[in-house]
Amino acid sequence: MHRSSATSLIHKATYATSKTLTIGLIPGDGIGKEVIPAGQRVLEAIGKKHDIRFSYEHLDAGWQTFLETGNALPGATVEALRERCQGALFGAVQSPTTKVEGYSSPIVALRRQLGLYANIRPVKSVSGTGQPVDLVIVRENTEDLYVQQERTYVDAATGKRVAEAIKRISEPATERIAEISLRLALQRQRMGGRGALTVTHKSNVLSQTDGLFKEVCREVYEANKKSYGSIEYNEQIVDSMVYRLFKEPHCFDVVVAPNLYGDLLSDGAAALVGSLGLVPSVNVGNNIIIGEPCHGSAPDIAGRGIANPIATIRSVSLMLQFLGLEEAASDIDQAVTGNLKDRQVVSPDLGGKNTTQEVLDDILARI
């Protein structure tokens, strides 16, 4: 199998040499059922071009799975990913807006159970799809309010309900996310980029939790000045970060944030490049890489065949990049860029009239 050396990986996972990579396919709900098959088609095309063999595990998770089985994330899905897969693609989840007994987000649980500690979301524009943007948002993936430890009680003094949630920030998780962010900034610098890291926080209000996040990120940077001294290090309060992200996106290179802020910033940043349908991500762990488009399940267009597959296709590229298959990843990126620059085959979210299949076919032809 054609692979670059482990030193090309941004994170430090080492994968066993194999003639076949096993990829889990988890469509989930809504348009996930349309875009994940498109991702598989791209894997098959790029595998044929680069002589890479893929096998697939078709796996269940999501709201529909919960309705059918009472479990949004079956144990068999987790076992397959943990025991047999080197990579995976996760589509989308349609979660209820009110509490449903026994239901919790399967992707949040999956990140926690598989140790997927970093969610990495590049946001890069192509000519004609938005203002010039080229940044990466690195989101700590296992803590913050996403530990999902909440309670509701009746206040004795007022007789009214009160809801509380735990926000958890730990030193080990913050060290890990700071390290991968600095490695990413250094890699981008070596490829001709700016090489800057911006730590996003709200420590002026949350002095202990966000204060710890900011403090530990700086400690990791200071302790590794020999390696990362060329990196420009910045800190930004999250509310002013939102303002600057939309007014001055060119000022940012790599942005690292706790889980909630990273979620909000990365979805908002998609507006800078035209659509959530363009923005990919990967969930990075020590033993598996899971590609995940940033859009949701989009129930309003599900089943109509007009979902933009590009976020998923770009997530395929990211997954392969983190698995060390950089040439294959680059070919996918070039095919997507060609499609976006030509603007001849365009899905409705970008102002076009083409179907999911037509966009996919155009990209496959370019591969």
Side-chain angles (χ1 to χ4, degrees):
M1 181 175 65
H2 298 294
R3 299 181 63 179
S4 58
S5 67
T7 57
S8 69
L9 293 173
I10 294 170
H11 78 113
K12 295 181 179 179
T14 301
Y15 296 94
T17 301
S18 171
K19 292 182 179 180
T20 302
L21 278 174
T22 301
I23 306 298
L25 300 175
I26 314 167
D29 302 307
I31 63 171
K33 298 181 185 299
E34 300 166 57
V35 295
I36 293 303
Q40 182 180 353
R41 289 282 307 281
V42 169
L43 280 171
E44 291 166 352
I46 207 68
K48 183 176 181 179
K49 181 175 182 179
H50 287 271
D51 192 25
I52 306 165
R53 297 180 184 177
F54 295 105
S55 65
Y56 304 98
E57 292 270 349
H58 296 272
L59 305 171
D60 296 322
W63 174 243
Q64 189 61 41
T65 299
F66 175 79
L67 293 178
E68 294 172 356
T69 68
N71 190 347
L73 182 62
T77 294
V78 178
E79 180 183 3
L81 293 171
R82 182 180 286 130
E83 301 296 332
R84 299 191 293 276
C85 296
Q86 291 78 50
L89 296 174
F90 191 101
V93 175
Q94 180 180 338
S95 296
T97 56
T98 58
K99 182 178 179 180
V100 175
E101 192 65 34
Y103 179 84
S104 62
S105 169
I107 187 61
V108 173
L110 200 58
R111 291 166 179 163
R112 189 180 304 121
Q113 291 186 43
L114 295 180
L116 302 171
Y117 63 89
N119 183 266
I120 298 176
R121 298 186 174 189
V123 182
K124 185 174 182 179
S125 61
V126 172
S127 177
T129 63
Q131 59 178 303
V133 179
D134 186 2
L135 58 88
V136 179
I137 296 174
V138 183
R139 167 186 170 192
E140 200 290 316
N141 221 17
T142 64
E143 295 191 325
D144 200 9
L145 290 169
Y146 289 67
V147 296
Q148 297 178 298
Q149 294 182 14
E150 301 179 278
R151 68 170 184 143
T152 302
Y153 63 92
V154 176
D155 181 74
T158 65
K160 301 292 186 179
R161 288 173 295 171
V162 177
E164 295 178 346
I166 290 175
K167 176 183 174 78
R168 177 173 293 128
I169 303 290
S170 73
E171 187 169 359
T174 306
E175 287 175 339
R176 190 166 54 180
I177 205 69
E179 288 168 357
I180 194 172
S181 300
L182 285 163
R183 289 200 298 274
L184 180 57
L186 186 63
Q187 183 186 69
R188 284 167 64 84
Q189 184 183 64
R190 289 170 175 169
M191 295 173 66
R194 179 178 163 195
L197 178 67
T198 302
V199 177
T200 307
H201 62 92
K202 189 66 176 174
S203 66
N204 57 325
V205 175
L206 301 168
S207 59
Q208 293 194 48
T209 50
D210 281 25
L212 181 64
F213 187 85
K214 182 180 74 169
E215 179 182 336
V216 172
C217 285
R218 176 168 283 277
E219 288 173 353
V220 171
Y221 173 70
E222 295 290 346
N224 294 278
K225 274 287 188 71
K226 185 176 181 180
S227 298
Y228 303 123
S230 63
I231 299 300
E232 177 188 334
Y233 184 90
N234 305 292
E235 295 168 352
Q236 187 80 48
I237 294 174
V238 66
D239 41 356
S240 58
M241 176 71 201
V242 172
Y243 178 82
R244 293 192 65 204
L245 182 64
F246 286 96
K247 293 285 287 186
E248 307 169 324
H250 59 277
C251 292
F252 300 103
D253 183 28
V254 177
V255 176
V256 62
N259 210 336
L260 178 61
Y261 306 152
D263 193 0
L264 299 176
L265 288 172
S266 54
D267 277 13
L272 298 172
V273 295
S275 171
L276 268 172
L278 298 177
V279 181
S281 76
V282 283
N283 298 282
V284 176
N286 288 332
N287 299 300
I288 189 170
I289 306 296
I290 299 184
E292 178 191 1
C294 291
H295 58 66
S297 61
D300 56 322
I301 63 168
R304 295 170 57 189
I306 60 173
N308 190 341
I310 287 179
T312 294
I313 294 169
R314 281 178 158 174
S315 296
V316 170
S317 173
L318 270 179
M319 178 187 70
L320 295 179
Q321 178 190 338
F322 275 77
L323 289 170
L325 297 164
E326 294 181 348
E327 290 184 10
S330 178
D331 281 354
I332 295 171
D333 286 338
Q334 289 179 29
V336 171
T337 298
N339 167 272
L340 291 172
K341 283 185 174 180
D342 285 354
R343 295 191 64 80
Q344 297 300 308
V345 183
V346 181
S347 54
D349 60 311
L350 295 176
K353 297 181 179 180
N354 293 101
T355 65
T356 305
Q357 187 63 50
E358 287 168 340
V359 174
L360 171 63
D361 288 344
D362 183 73
I363 292 172
L364 288 174
R366 295 173 188 274
I367 292 175

